Amino acid sequence: MNQVCLIAKLPAAEGKGAELAEAFKAAFEHVNKEDGTRYYILHADAANADVLYVYEMYENQDAANAHMTADWFAPFGKSLAPFMGGRPEMTFLTPIVGKGL
């Protein structure tokens, strides 16, 4: 399999989880147009409202690179800064087997 996956943990500043989630929604107008992006899902941590997760799956490394180097990506990241409580933690994954792959 050539798919590339990523789980990003986004720590919000204290009490800013809902605002971070709302600001993050701006990414979807761009992501929905990306041909190589299979999944891009924002999750709330069920135990901590100030922690969000993003699950991402791309068709291949080129699609992941295109997403991360898109013209909109850097300004989008800067727009999240007022709501962030620390640096995102990124875990890159390689799928092995599963339903929907």
Side-chain angles (χ1 to χ4, degrees), residues 56-97:
E56 307 171 31
M57 177 184 271
Y58 302 94
E59 291 292 330
N60 52 44
Q61 188 62 55
D62 288 342
N65 292 345
H67 168 78
M68 291 183 270
T69 60
D71 291 341
W72 66 271
F73 193 79
F76 167 71
K78 289 178 184 175
S79 76
L80 301 179
F83 312 108
M84 296 293 293
R87 294 183 58 82
E89 297 174 30
M90 311 246 215
T91 303
F92 289 87
L93 308 166
T94 302
I96 298 171
V97 65

Side-chain angles (χ1 to χ4, degrees), residues 5-26:
C5 298
L6 165 67
I7 296 174
K9 179 180 180 181
L10 307 174
E14 188 173 339
K16 300 278 187 179
E19 291 174 81
L20 177 58
E22 190 61 34
F24 196 91
K25 291 178 183 179

Side-chain angles (χ1 to χ4, degrees), residues 1 20 35 40-41 43 45 48 52 60 84 91 99:
M1 286 185 199
L20 177 58
D35 291 331
Y40 199 79
I41 305 167
H43 304 267
D45 187 308
N48 184 344
L52 302 177
N60 52 44
M84 296 293 293
T91 303
K99 182 177 178 178

Side-chain angles (χ1 to χ4, degrees), residues 6 29 34 38 47 51 75 86:
L6 165 67
E29 87 177 68
E34 295 175 348
R38 291 188 67 189
V51 176

